[in-house]
Amino acid sequence: FLTGQDSPVTEGLNWADFQAWSPDAQAMLFTTASGFGMDLPGLQLAVIDISTQETRVITPDDRGVTSAAWSPTGQRIAFIQCQCAEDGSSSSATCTLWLADRRGANPQPIPVEIPPTYAGPPGCLAWTPDGSRLVFAQPGPASTHTLWTVRLDGTDLRPVVVDAGQNCFEIRPEP
């Protein structure tokens, strides 16, 4: 697959959007529509093994996935899944953080209540370099975001940067 030649990875799917390569470049996360088009409620998270082309849907139901990330070791996957409000609005969605193993098996919710927002669902999910915490962006007023961090067991949820602007971020260790 990684030969430099063009090769379709998600051929035949209704719709697919790249999320992240595994650290060893042997697997890829992507979202795919589950019959609802490209709206938030239908975006499912899937992982594909690059060598076998085996694809596995990770998400336990059809609530939409807004962001996903591999752990620094590539042994775990974190993702944010949201349920839209009754009026169909994603701006007041109820969201859950999840962890799954490398193959996407055994997804488990992280027991934390993500603070509600009325400016859109959280995204830009990332792991800290040591793999002990997750960081995500929560949209706020006037196109700003608050960056939150939480331990993998759901404790110690706290904002770390308020009014962070409107771009996603990538956490990298200092050289």
Side-chain angles (χ1 to χ4, degrees):
F1 175 78
L2 299 176
T3 63
Q5 300 295 317
D6 288 344
S7 175
V9 176
T10 58
E11 190 171 33
L13 295 175
N14 183 16
W15 178 79
D17 187 35
F18 172 76
Q19 289 288 319
W21 281 103
S22 63
D24 64 5
Q26 298 301 306
M28 185 181 74
L29 293 173
F30 64 95
T31 50
T32 183
S34 62
F36 298 99
M38 295 189 303
D39 295 332
L40 178 64
L43 292 180
Q44 298 292 288
L45 183 65
V47 62
I48 185 167
D49 181 296
I50 299 303
S51 62
T52 66
Q53 297 288 294
E54 178 186 345
T55 300
R56 170 188 225 126
V57 173
I58 297 172
T59 42
D61 55 42
D62 68 354
R63 293 179 296 151
V65 171
T66 63
S67 190
W70 291 93
S71 67
T73 63
Q75 296 305 306
R76 297 174 92 181
I77 299 165
F79 60 96
I80 300 171
Q81 192 177 33
C82 298
Q83 177 69 48
C84 288
E86 288 184 21
D87 65 2
S89 168
S90 64
S91 63
S92 57
T94 302
C95 301
T96 306
L97 282 168
W98 292 81
L99 289 175
D101 70 20
R102 176 184 176 77
R103 297 180 310 110
N106 196 28
Q108 298 293 318
I110 296 174
V112 63
E113 187 174 322
I114 296 176
T117 180
Y118 298 98
C124 303
L125 184 63
W127 293 71
T128 56
D130 68 0
S132 67
R133 300 181 74 89
L134 295 170
V135 180
F136 61 92
Q138 184 79 342
S143 297
T144 63
H145 288 81
T146 298
L147 304 184
W148 292 83
T149 181
V150 64
R151 290 187 180 133
L152 299 183
D153 65 3
T155 62
D156 196 28
L157 175 69
R158 57 188 155 105
V160 290
V161 179
V162 179
D163 296 334
Q166 54 186 323
N167 295 321
C168 286
F169 54 90
E170 186 172 346
I171 297 175
R172 293 189 183 270
E174 293 290 323

